[in-house]
Amino acid sequence: MRKQTKIAAVVSAAALLALGASITSFAASRGTWMLVDGEWYCYDSSGDPYENTFCLSNGKEYYVGDDGMLVRSQWVEDDGDYYFVNSAGQKITNDWRLTTPYDDEDAEEQWFYFQSTGKRAEDKKLTIKGKTYFFNTDGEMLTGWVQANGDSWDEASSDDVKSNTNTYYCGEDGARLESTWVYDYAPSVDTDDVGSEDEEHWYYLKSSGKVATGKQSNVKGQTYFFDNEGKMLSGWVAAPTSSDGEYIQIWEDDEDTDGHFDTALSAYNDTDVYFCGEADDGHMKKDKWIKIWSNEEYGEDDDDNDEYWYYINSSGKVYIPDEVDSTASNSNASAKAKWAVRYSFEDGEGEAFSDRFDTDSYGDTVFAATEKKVNSKTYYFDQDGRMLSALVMMWDSEAEAKEQDPETGKMYYFGGWDDGQRKDGSVSMTDDNGESYRFYFATDDDASENYFNAAGVNGARNGKLYEHGLIITATDDKYELKTVYVQCTDSSKSDYYSYIVNKSGSIQSSAKEYEEDDDVLIDASNATFSDERGALRNSVKGAVEY
């Protein structure tokens, strides 16, 4: 049923003059227009005025309301469709209008679009001058988050943009955003009633206008990750563990994460892990070393947390060693993996291993260490992908590592905190008193069977005595008897050997009495020497029994 216009027209003199230029007193294709008492009317062939309908003049449509009088600058409802006429009374087509809604003059003004027929666009997605716009059931142009709701379009209410593929974001001008970023609350958040738990997030709108989810490999030349709600992920990010899963952050404490965020990186050794920078950055890092907090500490406001070095390959994957069963033997580890404990160099004056090397702040923690070549250089990583540095002793089994028996372990040096490259050859190191000491780490496996590639030398090397790489010298007297355990690949040859050394660490190998100021320090006159391994065990008078 046709309805009357909702307000009566008031015609000014200027409007009449303008109208007179477009409407003349002649028979139009529908109706004849006449100016009566200053108002325009449209009459049919019987001389009766048309009411509440469109009449034509010069091919254009004008609306007459009650008693056939022309109406201007207002909404028109005709056969259930909504139109708008301008100040001349002409139906507008292919054009915008900023006005209050049809049924609420007191409401805020909204943008409406009137199509080529003049009908108000409703529940439509329209391309207008190359840009896409959305209109709800009431014809209002939508801004912000927009979603399809059956055959209708409305403000978005669901965060699940992956399932609802018809989710878009429109700018303040109503145009759908494409190939660009937007920073806003999630679609379900009422921006007029933002709660303390609500946060804004970065979203990326693809060239189709759809919200990006999952891995996007070419966003302005960078790779980003998004969850199923389209939120850009940052910090530590893990790939889906199933085909229908989603990328997740693995560094925040969130009750909705099913325990993911408090789990060490070693739990993701069969899953691709990435690092994507801070929340205002987000792009995947690749082909580089990065020094950062672990995922368990990332984002915490705690200056005491240590940062570690991680390696990221050219595909952006953070290196995390293959799975190692920490409750079993090393048979479950990678071929290059060992069981290890971190050590610090405490005091070069001690007589025993435990006096020179200490776990210090590391707390005797046993972990799996895996070798990896990076740019032809050798590095080791723990089970969480953290690069090793400083001194690390390694064993072939977890049980040996827990015992921390120096007889079966091998000491390696990986440089300072920001270095990590495995060292060999001669190295200088400073103890906790600021004294510098010389170390030697083998440059390869030696046929003499007591050198292991890159491990600290135990025993003689070029006439000097070493224990786990540290040079052993006489500290009090001119000559001193030192006993070290020499580990050989032929285990039958592994044993304690006694060495006579001077203050420079040079090994003495003559069967004689070693004196200082006419005092006999060491009686080795009857000692038996074995090449560069020093005196055979217990052949030196006064040597320690084992």
Side-chain angles (χ1 to χ4, degrees):
M1 177 181 292
R2 292 176 178 171
K3 296 181 181 179
Q4 295 182 352
T5 55
K6 65 173 183 172
I7 59 175
V10 179
V11 184
S12 66
L16 284 173
L17 291 174
L19 181 63
S22 58
I23 298 180
T24 57
S25 296
F26 69 97
S29 57
R30 178 178 182 181
T32 300
W33 289 96
M34 296 292 294
L35 184 63
V36 179
D37 295 331
E39 297 291 348
W40 288 97
Y41 294 82
C42 183
Y43 295 93
D44 62 19
S45 58
S46 301
D48 296 322
Y50 283 105
E51 296 181 355
N52 301 316
T53 190
F54 284 102
C55 290
L56 297 178
S57 179
N58 294 336
K60 297 178 180 179
E61 294 183 87
Y62 298 81
Y63 195 82
V64 291
D66 295 337
D67 301 324
M69 185 171 64
L70 179 73
V71 296
R72 300 170 175 82
S73 300
Q74 66 183 54
W75 284 100
V76 169
E77 181 187 0
D78 186 62
D79 280 341
D81 295 317
Y82 296 88
Y83 305 83
F84 202 90
V85 293
N86 61 20
S87 59
Q90 179 185 337
K91 178 172 68 175
I92 65 172
T93 59
N94 297 319
D95 203 2
W96 293 92
R97 185 66 54 172
L98 178 65
T99 186
T100 57
Y102 173 80
D103 54 357
D104 191 353
E105 295 179 27
D106 297 326
E108 292 185 7
E109 291 185 326
Q110 303 287 337
W111 281 103
F112 299 87
Y113 185 77
F114 298 89
Q115 303 169 82
S116 59
T117 61
K119 291 181 182 180
R120 180 182 72 183
E122 300 170 5
D123 290 327
K124 291 276 189 179
K125 178 176 76 170
L126 294 179
T127 300
I128 302 170
K129 295 183 178 180
K131 297 182 178 181
T132 301
Y133 299 84
F134 299 87
F135 303 89
N136 65 15
T137 301
D138 295 323
E140 298 171 347
M141 180 194 76
L142 298 174
T143 61
W145 288 109
V146 175
Q147 280 180 343
N149 182 14
D151 295 330
S152 303
W153 291 95
D154 210 337
E155 295 178 354
S157 59
S158 169
D159 292 340
D160 192 354
V161 300
K162 185 175 182 180
S163 295
N164 190 334
T165 56
N166 290 320
T167 299
Y168 303 93
Y169 193 93
C170 299
E172 292 183 359
D173 64 351
R176 184 180 70 186
L177 298 185
E178 301 169 2
S179 301
T180 192
W181 291 93
V182 65
Y183 187 66
D184 204 347
Y185 294 101
S188 63
V189 175
D190 182 355
T191 54
D192 293 329
D193 187 24
V194 175
S196 59
E197 73 282 359
D198 295 319
E199 296 181 4
E200 292 181 276
H201 302 275
W202 282 105
Y203 300 83
Y204 186 74
L205 291 311
K206 298 188 289 186
S207 59
S208 63
K210 295 184 183 298
V211 183
T213 59
K215 181 179 181 180
Q216 300 294 322
S217 299
N218 190 17
V219 178
K220 302 185 185 303
Q222 300 289 356
T223 297
Y224 295 84
F225 299 93
F226 303 86
D227 64 14
N228 285 348
E229 296 177 359
K231 298 172 184 175
M232 183 197 77
L233 304 179
S234 61
W236 292 100
V237 175
T241 56
S242 61
S243 59
D244 58 348
E246 66 177 316
Y247 286 87
I248 59 170
Q249 289 180 169
I250 52 174
W251 59 269
E252 282 187 340
D253 184 13
D254 189 321
E255 62 182 10
D256 296 327
T257 61
D258 299 326
H260 292 298
F261 291 75
D262 291 328
T263 305
L265 289 180
S266 55
Y268 298 91
N269 51 35
D270 58 351
T271 302
D272 294 338
V273 172
Y274 307 87
F275 186 78
C276 299
E278 302 297 328
D280 58 354
D281 176 3
H283 80 269
M284 181 191 76
K285 313 306 176 190
K286 61 181 180 179
D287 199 19
K288 66 187 301 182
W289 289 90
I290 188 166
K291 187 179 183 182
I292 198 66
W293 293 277
S294 70
N295 68 300
E296 295 171 290
E297 297 173 337
Y298 187 82
E300 294 182 3
D301 295 328
D302 187 351
D303 294 336
D304 294 333
N305 290 340
D306 290 326
E307 294 179 275
Y308 300 92
W309 283 102
Y310 298 85
Y311 178 69
I312 305 174
N313 68 17
S314 58
S315 299
K317 298 176 184 177
V318 178
Y319 175 68
I320 302 174
D322 295 339
E323 183 176 1
V324 176
D325 184 353
S326 60
T327 64
S329 69
N330 199 46
S331 61
N332 291 323
S334 300
K336 292 287 186 179
K338 301 287 185 181
W339 293 97
V341 173
R342 294 179 174 89
Y343 283 85
S344 59
F345 178 55
E346 295 292 331
D347 185 355
E349 301 296 333
E351 291 295 323
F353 167 81
S354 59
D355 292 330
R356 304 187 190 99
F357 303 96
D358 192 74
T359 55
D360 194 22
S361 59
Y362 300 118
D364 299 345
T365 302
V366 176
F367 62 93
T370 303
E371 178 183 325
K372 180 175 177 59
K373 294 282 188 180
V374 178
N375 298 327
S376 301
K377 297 177 181 179
T378 301
Y379 297 85
Y380 269 77
F381 298 82
D382 70 10
Q383 64 271 18
D384 292 310
R386 298 177 293 195
M387 181 197 77
L388 302 187
S389 61
L391 289 164
V392 178
M393 183 167 279
M394 299 185 189
W395 289 264
D396 290 332
S397 74
E398 185 179 13
E400 290 176 331
K402 287 182 176 180
E403 290 294 329
Q404 292 190 46
D405 186 353
E407 291 185 7
T408 55
K410 300 179 182 66
M411 186 71 77
Y412 297 87
Y413 182 58
F414 298 95
W417 188 253
D418 293 326
D419 185 350
Q421 181 183 350
R422 190 181 67 183
K423 309 301 179 186
D424 59 20
S426 182
V427 174
S428 291
M429 207 173 301
T430 303
D431 70 6
D432 54 349
N433 295 316
E435 295 292 331
S436 181
Y437 293 87
R438 176 182 166 191
F439 284 73
Y440 193 87
F441 298 89
T443 56
D444 56 22
D445 291 318
D446 191 87
S448 64
E449 297 183 330
N450 63 320
Y451 297 165
F452 299 88
N453 186 34
V457 169
N458 282 295
R461 202 272 175 186
N462 291 341
K464 302 288 185 180
L465 177 62
Y466 298 89
E467 183 178 29
H468 289 297
L470 171 65
I471 191 168
I472 304 300
T473 65
T475 56
D476 297 322
D477 299 320
K478 182 178 180 180
Y479 300 102
E480 293 180 4
L481 185 67
K482 303 290 184 179
T483 302
V484 301
Y485 187 86
V486 179
Q487 184 183 162
C488 303
T489 54
D490 181 352
S491 60
S492 66
K493 296 180 180 180
S494 297
D495 208 340
Y496 285 93
Y497 290 85
S498 299
Y499 297 82
I500 302 168
V501 296
N502 61 17
K503 286 185 175 294
S504 67
S506 295
I507 297 172
Q508 311 300 304
S509 58
S510 298
K512 66 175 188 177
E513 292 181 341
Y514 288 87
E515 302 179 348
E516 182 178 16
D517 298 331
D518 296 328
D519 291 330
V520 176
L521 300 174
I522 301 171
D523 184 0
S525 55
N526 294 316
T528 302
F529 293 88
S530 175
D531 299 326
E532 283 196 340
R533 287 191 182 146
L536 295 181
R537 184 177 67 177
N538 303 327
S539 71
V540 177
K541 186 179 291 187
V544 177
E545 293 285 343
Y546 289 95

